Amino acid sequence: IGFYNRTSGHHGIGQNLDTRCLHQNLNEFYEIELYVRLENLGTPFICDPFRTSWDVRCPEINFSRRWFEGEKYKSRFTHHHAKFIVPNNIGPFNLMHGVFKIDEELAALDRLFMFMEWVNQDIDIIVDNWSVKILPGICGQNLVRNGDFEENGKFWNGYGTVGYDIKQMNMPTSKAAIVFDKAHQDHGLSQELYIEKDCFDENDRFKITGKFRIESASDGTSYECDRYVHDGELECSYMLMWTNT
């Protein structure tokens, strides 16, 4: 389906979700997927996922939440529920993806309108294969989704202010993420782990592993980091983890 002759960057395509499903699935995760093509006068337009200026920014999926308090109609907007997955220039249609949790507010809504906005009004939007499905929590296996980046940037987000992309390595089936334009040395990549909490017991232990290398931003020269320094260009990368409900 296409949306043309838009008169505002806030105008886009949307749909009311069946709130009966939300009422029955408190604390479940739902996965949003859709394939999008942007055009400018019939020519493919490649937006920039890391910039917010109207001339280049990418669209995002937002929610309009609506409910009654007595006889009074209430509403509020929430943002960033799905975004373009990098790289977003690999075909005629590119993936938008996101995950959201059915919290108590969502489970009690009378209406939930999901819609696309935040793309320049001169850009036409064409959408295919839009879906919203339950995302089962991971239990008893690798907790990281798409850790080998074979699904490109799906499930990954920037941590802090960064740009990132997916890079094809020397082997035909090997991909890696490259992080650039960091605003601070401790910025990088992040992922929320959508897990089945009932599968975990107190004192369970998990091993965290990952590969990385440091390259010069100017010429791509590789550097060996120094595990004994805690500041500067040669500081090694490290992983952080925190929990929320």
Side-chain angles (χ1 to χ4, degrees):
I1 185 171
F3 194 45
Y4 305 93
N5 300 322
R6 300 165 52 246
T7 58
S8 169
H10 299 287
H11 294 173
I13 299 172
Q15 182 178 115
N16 287 301
L17 300 184
D18 189 340
T19 54
R20 294 172 298 178
C21 297
L22 309 183
H23 301 162
Q24 299 170 11
N25 289 289
L26 179 65
N27 294 323
E28 293 283 0
F29 293 104
Y30 275 78
E31 182 177 24
I32 302 171
E33 284 194 337
L34 61 153
Y35 286 85
V36 180
R37 176 183 175 90
L38 304 176
E39 291 184 350
N40 186 1
L41 300 176
T43 300
F45 173 77
I46 306 302
C47 61
D48 188 331
F50 307 109
R51 294 177 60 190
T52 57
S53 58
W54 277 110
D55 57 334
V56 296
R57 70 178 301 160
C58 290
E60 62 184 49
I61 302 301
N62 298 326
F63 288 167
S64 174
R65 306 177 180 217
R66 303 179 184 183
W67 68 97
F68 284 95
E69 289 185 3
E71 297 182 354
K72 192 171 184 179
Y73 197 44
K74 299 277 190 174
S75 66
R76 76 182 184 95
F77 292 94
T78 56
H79 304 281
H80 314 304
H81 293 291
K83 61 182 176 61
F84 260 106
I85 298 304
V86 297
N88 62 315
N89 59 350
I90 56 177
F93 284 81
N94 290 282
L95 177 65
M96 292 185 71
H97 178 265
V99 177
F100 66 96
K101 182 180 180 179
I102 305 301
D103 56 20
E104 291 185 358
E105 180 182 289
L106 281 174
L109 291 179
D110 295 297
R111 181 186 179 194
L112 179 62
F113 184 65
M114 172 183 63
F115 62 100
M116 179 188 298
E117 66 170 339
W118 295 113
V119 65
N120 190 293
Q121 67 186 49
D122 296 327
I123 303 301
D124 298 325
I125 304 170
I126 306 170
V127 177
D128 197 12
N129 292 337
W130 195 331
S131 65
V132 181
K133 300 178 181 178
I134 285 182
L135 178 70
I138 289 177
C139 181
Q141 53 185 303
N142 185 2
L143 305 183
V144 176
R145 299 176 193 257
N146 189 30
D148 58 5
F149 300 99
E150 289 304 310
E151 295 183 272
N152 294 315
K154 190 176 178 180
F155 292 108
W156 291 95
N157 297 287
Y159 174 67
T161 303
V162 300
Y164 61 94
D165 204 351
I166 307 303
K167 185 176 182 180
Q168 187 74 46
M169 306 306 288
N170 293 331
M171 297 191 307
T173 59
S174 179
K175 295 181 180 179
I178 179 170
V179 179
F180 50 87
D181 293 340
K182 298 189 300 176
H184 195 272
Q185 64 188 31
D186 66 352
H187 293 178
L189 281 182
S190 68
Q191 181 176 134
E192 294 194 31
L193 305 181
Y194 304 105
I195 61 178
E196 183 59 56
K197 293 188 293 184
D198 294 339
C199 294
F200 299 90
D201 296 317
E202 187 176 356
N203 297 321
D204 282 351
R205 295 188 177 187
F206 290 83
K207 180 173 68 174
I208 302 174
T209 60
K211 299 178 181 179
F212 74 93
R213 74 184 186 198
I214 300 174
E215 294 182 348
S216 167
S218 59
D219 59 15
T221 301
S222 296
Y223 290 91
E224 181 178 349
C225 69
D226 188 337
R227 291 177 295 170
Y228 301 103
V229 302
H230 303 287
D231 196 9
E233 294 181 352
L234 299 184
E235 179 186 10
C236 290
S237 297
Y238 54 90
M239 298 182 186
L240 300 174
M241 180 178 292
W242 62 88
T243 61
N244 55 40
T245 57

